[in-house]
Amino acid sequence: MTAVTVWNEYRHEREGGRAAEVYPDGIHATIAEFLDERGFDVRTATLDEPEHGLTEEVLEGTDVLTWWGHEAHDEVRDEVVERVRERVLDGMGLVVLHSGHFSKIFRRLMGTTCDLKWRDEGETERVWTVEPGHPIADGVAESFEVPETEMYGERFDVPAPETLVFASWFEGGEVFRSGCCYRRGAGRVFYFRPGHETYPVYHQPEIQQVVANAVSWAGPVDGPTPSFGRSADPPERE
Ligand code: ZN
């Protein structure tokens, strides 16, 4: 069973207003609940816990980490970011959600600014599945609508994804690469765009399906441990 740690900054939802109404127990609680219902072994971690809830022990026991942050990216301590990065290179999956595009961990793994256009006016988004045979598209329609959301538009300053699974269109005419697959070291990384804190995006069945598929896809594989350095004893030598 895939062990998932759902990480959330968990600030907006405690500040009251719309975010607190839509996610009264935090975005992490909603995500953890639908992953738990689908049979994953789920725990949560948040920014204000010691070590942001991401101790060596927690990360060792995590197959896939999901990441949601927005207003406090700078408060994530660099040593924790480095710890997560090392685990990804070692094979842990990472699913970065929405405003996590600006998280330290995503920017470090991508090596680019990860900047984009945005506009928060509750516009409609239509998400298109552009790679229907990909495991993250399993059970997902050719296209589906997010009725009200924040717009993200291109250019999205990330490296070209190894596979682009979803692309979005917005009412204003902007488009966006919404579902991007990467590998870093032995680990798999998936970026998924939908999910602003003031809209019930993570309550939507299509979104839950994609996040669950991404967690399944990103899990570690039992591959060999590579060796490095001078090869003194090559396999073809007697
Ligand atoms: Zn947002």
Side-chain angles (χ1 to χ4, degrees):
M1 193 193 295
T2 305
V4 189
T5 299
V6 175
W7 193 87
N8 183 17
E9 180 181 281
Y10 195 28
R11 291 281 177 86
H12 292 289
E13 307 95 309
R14 292 188 292 154
E15 290 162 2
R18 186 81 183 121
E21 289 168 26
V22 179
Y23 300 105
D25 300 316
I27 286 172
H28 57 296
T30 300
I31 294 173
E33 187 181 349
F34 71 70
L35 291 175
D36 180 72
E37 283 167 5
R38 286 166 170 79
F40 294 99
D41 175 15
V42 187
R43 71 162 87 201
T44 63
T46 56
L47 178 65
D48 291 326
E49 293 172 38
E51 300 184 57
H52 313 318
L54 299 175
T55 61
E56 295 274 5
E57 192 184 356
V58 166
L59 289 177
E60 271 310 309
T62 299
D63 295 320
V64 179
L65 177 65
T66 72
W67 194 279
W68 197 100
H70 181 219
E71 63 175 336
H73 294 311
D74 287 349
E75 293 181 41
V76 179
R77 285 163 47 191
D78 290 331
E79 62 265 34
V80 175
V81 175
E82 181 56 22
R83 189 184 294 163
V84 171
R85 189 185 75 96
E86 285 172 11
R87 273 289 292 141
V88 170
L89 298 182
D90 193 40
M92 182 182 74
L94 179 67
V95 176
V96 176
L97 299 167
H98 185 63
S99 40
H101 73 91
F102 258 166
S103 62
K104 286 183 180 178
I105 183 60
F106 189 60
R107 286 187 294 138
R108 192 163 299 177
L109 286 166
M110 294 298 107
T112 54
T113 68
C114 302
D115 212 343
L116 45 76
K117 287 184 185 67
W118 62 274
R119 181 175 59 243
D120 185 13
E121 296 181 7
E123 291 165 84
T124 297
E125 171 180 10
R126 178 159 291 279
V127 181
W128 287 91
T129 305
V130 297
E131 207 57 74
H134 195 277
I136 301 178
D138 191 49
V140 181
E142 183 181 24
S143 82
F144 64 90
E145 202 175 81
V146 180
E148 279 189 313
T149 193
E150 178 187 26
M151 182 283 294
Y152 279 3
E154 296 280 349
R155 170 168 166 85
F156 182 22
D157 186 28
V158 287
E162 291 178 23
T163 307
L164 180 68
V165 186
F166 303 104
S168 290
W169 167 93
F170 297 87
E171 274 187 86
E174 291 93 349
V175 295
F176 194 77
R177 288 169 290 168
S178 276
C180 304
C181 298
Y182 300 93
R183 278 173 298 170
R184 289 294 182 270
R188 294 180 179 188
V189 179
F190 184 65
Y191 173 79
F192 190 48
R193 193 216 83 85
H196 189 69
E197 67 276 5
T198 59
Y199 304 104
V201 176
Y202 296 118
H203 295 293
Q204 194 174 328
E206 296 96 327
I207 300 296
Q208 296 181 356
Q209 181 73 37
V210 171
V211 173
N213 288 348
V215 167
S216 294
W217 169 82
V221 299
D222 192 17
T225 303
S227 57
F228 299 102
R230 182 171 184 271
S231 183
D233 188 20
E236 296 292 346
R237 190 184 287 172
E238 287 283 327

